[in-house]
Amino acid sequence: MSDTNRGAARGIVLTHGSMCFGMVDAVLKITGAPEDSIVALSNEGKGPDALFREVSELAGREPTIIFTDLFTGSCAFAARLVCRDPGSRRVVFGANLAMLLDFVFHRDLPLDDLVARLLEKGRDSIRALEPAPVPAADADRTLPG
């Protein structure tokens, strides 16, 4: 069995400031997932070496996906270093709540399949509300005022 199929993956949400804590809290409350299935880690007050060590320690040797808030910056840099020899680790940049929710329900998938799924879910969740069309009969009306 390859490293990418050794059981349910663990998620590390690595962000600038306290954003990670709110995201992980929401995921755990919405899903009821085990607390150790997805953990939060902030870069706050940590230099590059300390952040790298902490992420490495949290990742351990189990299948792990590190979710960062941005594609650049200290969080992304630390995640890239931890995953430079990917084995059973992957990085997903630009995490959002939809992909984190999907992660906890499908973390038993092989890592490569799981990452592809998460990217699709994350992208699909980004939407804009389209303006409602104004009916022709109302177009000439003015609002009181």
Side-chain angles (χ1 to χ4, degrees), residues 24-61:
V24 168
D25 181 61
V27 168
L28 294 175
K29 284 181 177 161
I30 291 168
T31 66
E35 286 189 18
D36 66 343
S37 62
I38 187 165
V39 296
L41 178 61
S42 171
N43 73 339
E44 197 163 334
K46 298 176 180 102
D49 292 336
L51 190 58
F52 169 76
R53 280 192 304 275
E54 198 165 344
V55 175
S56 293
E57 186 177 302
L58 277 173
R61 298 180 52 75

Side-chain angles (χ1 to χ4, degrees), residues 23-127:
M23 293 178 83
V24 168
D25 181 61
V27 168
L28 294 175
K29 284 181 177 161
I30 291 168
T31 66
E35 286 189 18
D36 66 343
S37 62
I38 187 165
V39 296
L41 178 61
S42 171
N43 73 339
E44 197 163 334
K46 298 176 180 102
D49 292 336
L51 190 58
F52 169 76
R53 280 192 304 275
E54 198 165 344
V55 175
S56 293
E57 186 177 302
L58 277 173
R61 298 180 52 75
E62 299 305 314
T64 302
I65 296 179
I66 303 167
F67 297 91
T68 68
D69 49 1
L70 296 171
F71 182 69
T72 61
S74 61
C75 297
F77 184 71
R80 285 181 179 148
L81 285 177
V82 169
C83 296
R84 66 180 165 235
D85 180 18
S88 62
R89 299 175 180 171
R90 301 290 185 277
V91 182
V92 174
F93 304 101
N96 62 35
L97 191 56
M99 74 171 50
L100 296 177
L101 290 169
D102 199 67
F103 166 78
V104 298
F105 290 121
H106 297 95
R107 58 194 197 97
D108 56 336
L109 292 173
L111 283 180
D112 290 338
D113 296 343
L114 181 55
V115 167
R117 178 186 177 90
L118 296 174
L119 293 176
E120 183 179 329
K121 292 292 182 182
R123 287 180 186 124
D124 191 47
S125 72
I126 299 170
R127 306 277 176 109

